[in-house]
Amino acid sequence: MATVTSLCTVFPILTSTFSKPHFVPLCSPTPKRSRIITSVAEDREIVPVSEDRGTQVEGFQPLESKTEAELHPGLTSSSTINAIIVLGFGTFAVTKLLTIDHDYWHGWTLYEILRYIPEHNWIAYEQALKANPVLAKMAISGIVYSIGDWIAQCYEGKPLFEFDRARLLRSGLVGFTLHGSLSHYYYQLCEALFPFEEWWVVPAKVAFDQTVWSAIWNSIYFVVLGLLRFESLTNIYGELKSTFFPLLTAGWKLWPFAHLITYGLIPVEQRLLWVDCVELVWVTILSTYSNEKSETRISESASETTSSTSNQNSEE
């Protein structure tokens, strides 16, 4: 006992240890760690975040928006092809018109060359009419119907060189194969039906043109374009039925005034050239009507297919 008492006197720390257990709390603050965290927080710069989601935060690079050419690489190549086609044909046409007298330029001044260009081009056109009138008129109508459809596509909102080549080709093909040849024989028929020189002949020809002939040609144009788009006869008939009278009455706002000149002043062989100049406006209307109905029908059928598919998926 004396020995134990002496040990406790010499080592008092043992007495407190043995007599009372010491528990270290797990969540006790550690001053050293607190100082480290505080120093790190002070050294780090706090970046305020704006409530606007579009504000750029420092240290983050926003995603760059892709251009339309990057999203649709085929669109750029198609526009390039269209530009090459247009510039190629335009350069060829302008060159042919300007060099009509290149065989006779020797000794001519620039003024003489420019002076005789319109006159000699007109003489060349009249010679082509005498040599092959139907082919000459077919070529003019094909060019006019192609340009008219191009104007229609630009009017609908497409950029200048992003036109639909297949659609333009269809319109030009209809103009070349049908409008030029049929118009040639129609104007001869019209002269045979009204072989008079009275004052009422011109109004009668205009009335006949804007009822019988316009109805026939508008129907031919719609049906042939529909067949070239590989549409069914039912769809073609539906589009023709819905646009027949609106298109016919729309022509009455333009053609009666133009045809007073056609049948009153223009000779028979020159009529198609004058009519084709006015056709640049009319083909724009025709092409817009025809393709608008077709595109509307295609979009409606696509939306119906999508809705039916979604309904089937929801039922499953």
Side-chain angles (χ1 to χ4, degrees):
M1 178 63 73
T3 305
V4 173
T5 302
S6 60
L7 288 173
C8 290
T9 303
V10 176
F11 303 104
I13 190 171
L14 295 176
T15 305
S16 60
T17 303
F18 286 120
S19 61
K20 187 176 181 179
H22 180 69
F23 297 97
V24 178
L26 296 176
C27 298
S28 60
T30 56
K32 185 176 181 181
R33 182 177 300 173
S34 299
R35 287 195 299 272
I36 295 173
I37 294 174
T38 303
S39 63
V40 172
E42 290 175 353
D43 293 336
R44 177 151 316 185
E45 181 182 355
I46 299 175
V47 180
V49 180
S50 174
E51 294 181 358
D52 189 4
R53 292 173 178 254
T55 304
Q56 180 178 353
V57 180
E58 185 178 354
F60 294 92
Q61 295 294 332
L63 295 176
E64 295 181 356
S65 59
K66 294 184 178 180
T67 61
E68 187 176 359
E70 293 175 346
L71 294 174
H72 306 283
L75 190 62
T76 304
S77 60
S78 178
S79 301
T80 304
I81 295 173
N82 291 343
I84 293 173
I85 293 174
V86 171
L87 295 177
F89 276 100
T91 303
F92 174 77
V94 172
T95 303
K96 292 293 290 183
L97 291 174
L98 295 179
T99 59
I100 187 68
D101 294 322
H102 69 280
D103 293 333
Y104 310 99
W105 279 356
H106 183 70
W108 284 20
T109 63
L110 180 61
Y111 171 76
E112 290 175 332
I113 293 174
L114 297 177
R115 175 187 174 185
Y116 290 109
I117 282 176
E119 179 182 353
H120 291 176
N121 274 291
W122 181 257
I123 293 174
Y125 171 69
E126 288 185 331
Q127 291 175 352
L129 284 179
K130 292 179 181 179
N132 197 334
V134 177
L135 183 60
K137 295 173 183 179
M138 288 171 63
I140 293 173
S141 293
I143 294 171
V144 167
Y145 270 69
S146 299
I147 297 175
D149 184 80
W150 184 23
I151 296 173
Q153 295 190 47
C154 294
Y155 177 76
E156 293 167 9
K158 293 183 179 180
L160 189 63
F161 294 122
E162 292 183 8
F163 56 86
D164 186 350
R165 290 193 301 275
R167 171 180 161 178
L168 187 145
L169 179 62
R170 288 192 295 264
S171 182
L173 188 62
V174 172
F176 176 78
T177 58
L178 295 175
H179 183 263
S181 56
L182 292 179
S183 295
H184 169 77
Y185 294 110
Y186 161 71
Y187 289 122
Q188 292 182 349
L189 174 64
C190 192
E191 291 298 311
L193 292 176
F194 302 95
F196 310 103
E197 299 292 336
E198 303 294 333
W199 65 268
W200 54 267
V201 173
V202 172
K205 290 179 180 179
V206 173
F208 181 79
D209 187 289
Q210 287 304 290
T211 52
V212 178
W213 172 242
S214 292
I216 293 174
W217 172 244
N218 292 345
S219 301
I220 291 174
Y221 184 82
F222 265 79
V223 171
V224 174
L225 275 187
L227 293 175
L228 291 176
R229 289 194 296 260
F230 301 102
E231 296 181 357
S232 64
L233 294 178
T234 304
N235 292 332
I236 295 173
Y237 175 75
E239 293 175 6
L240 179 61
K241 184 178 179 181
S242 61
T243 58
F244 181 81
F245 285 105
L247 199 59
L248 188 64
T249 55
W252 295 346
K253 302 175 183 178
L254 171 67
W255 284 112
F257 306 100
H259 282 326
L260 289 176
I261 300 175
T262 303
Y263 298 106
L265 300 176
I266 309 297
V268 177
E269 288 299 321
Q270 310 294 345
R271 283 177 184 172
L272 186 61
L273 180 62
W274 158 252
V275 168
D276 278 339
C277 292
V278 185
E279 285 272 3
L280 282 174
V281 179
W282 181 240
V283 172
T284 303
I285 300 172
L286 270 179
S287 181
T288 302
Y289 263 91
S290 175
N291 291 279
E292 184 181 39
K293 291 294 181 181
S294 177
E295 291 172 0
T296 302
R297 181 184 53 79
I298 292 173
S299 62
E300 288 178 354
S301 62
S303 61
E304 290 177 359
T305 304
T306 305
S307 61
S308 62
T309 304
S310 61
N311 291 334
Q312 291 177 359
N313 294 334
S314 61
E315 290 176 0
E316 292 176 357

